[in-house]
Amino acid sequence: QVQLVESGGGLVQAGGSLRLSCAASGSIVSINGMGWYRQAPGKQRELVAAIVSGGRPKYSNSVKGRFTISRDNAKNTVYLQMNSLKPEDTAVYYCAAALLQMDHDWDDYWGQGTQVTVSS
């Protein structure tokens, strides 16, 4: 069974930084894309950043220049470095991966979410 486990969320003051990590484990054959989404109270879940194997990272306009997504393929781990945080970045951040599990088809998997709170 595949699991995505996030870590690194917390409370930070505006202007501060946090680094999120998400490790995928289980009977993984291959991972294509990995990314981060977030959902603020009362709002829809939105894409923050994503990175596809062999491709260039993409970012939402609201985080471009402040957040950096990176990936360690050997560890099946994706990171999100968040700098210059703003109160509007407050949300639950979810990791997602498009991967191939042994004896399964390609599918999307989600982590449980990690809270990021930015105080003004």
Side-chain angles (χ1 to χ4, degrees), residues 37-47 91:
Y37 290 73
R38 68 185 181 188
Q39 187 166 19
K43 294 188 176 182
Q44 288 189 330
R45 190 173 297 189
E46 62 172 354
L47 174 68

Side-chain angles (χ1 to χ4, degrees), residues 31-96:
I31 300 178
N32 187 8
M34 299 188 82
W36 291 94
Y37 290 73
R38 68 185 181 188
Q39 187 166 19
K43 294 188 176 182
Q44 288 189 330
R45 190 173 297 189
E46 62 172 354
L47 174 68
V48 176
I51 184 166
V52 180
S53 293
R56 300 181 68 175
K58 63 177 182 180
Y59 300 93
S60 70
N61 288 334
S62 61
V63 307
K64 207 171 289 185
R66 300 187 297 122
F67 291 10
T68 302
I69 188 171
S70 61
R71 183 172 160 178
D72 185 334
N73 292 327
K75 296 182 179 180
N76 289 337
T77 299
V78 64
Y79 305 95
L80 186 68
Q81 178 65 43
M82 305 185 293
N83 298 328
S84 303
L85 282 160
K86 304 175 181 180
E88 50 263 43
D89 294 318
T90 295
V92 178
Y93 283 69
Y94 297 91
C95 170

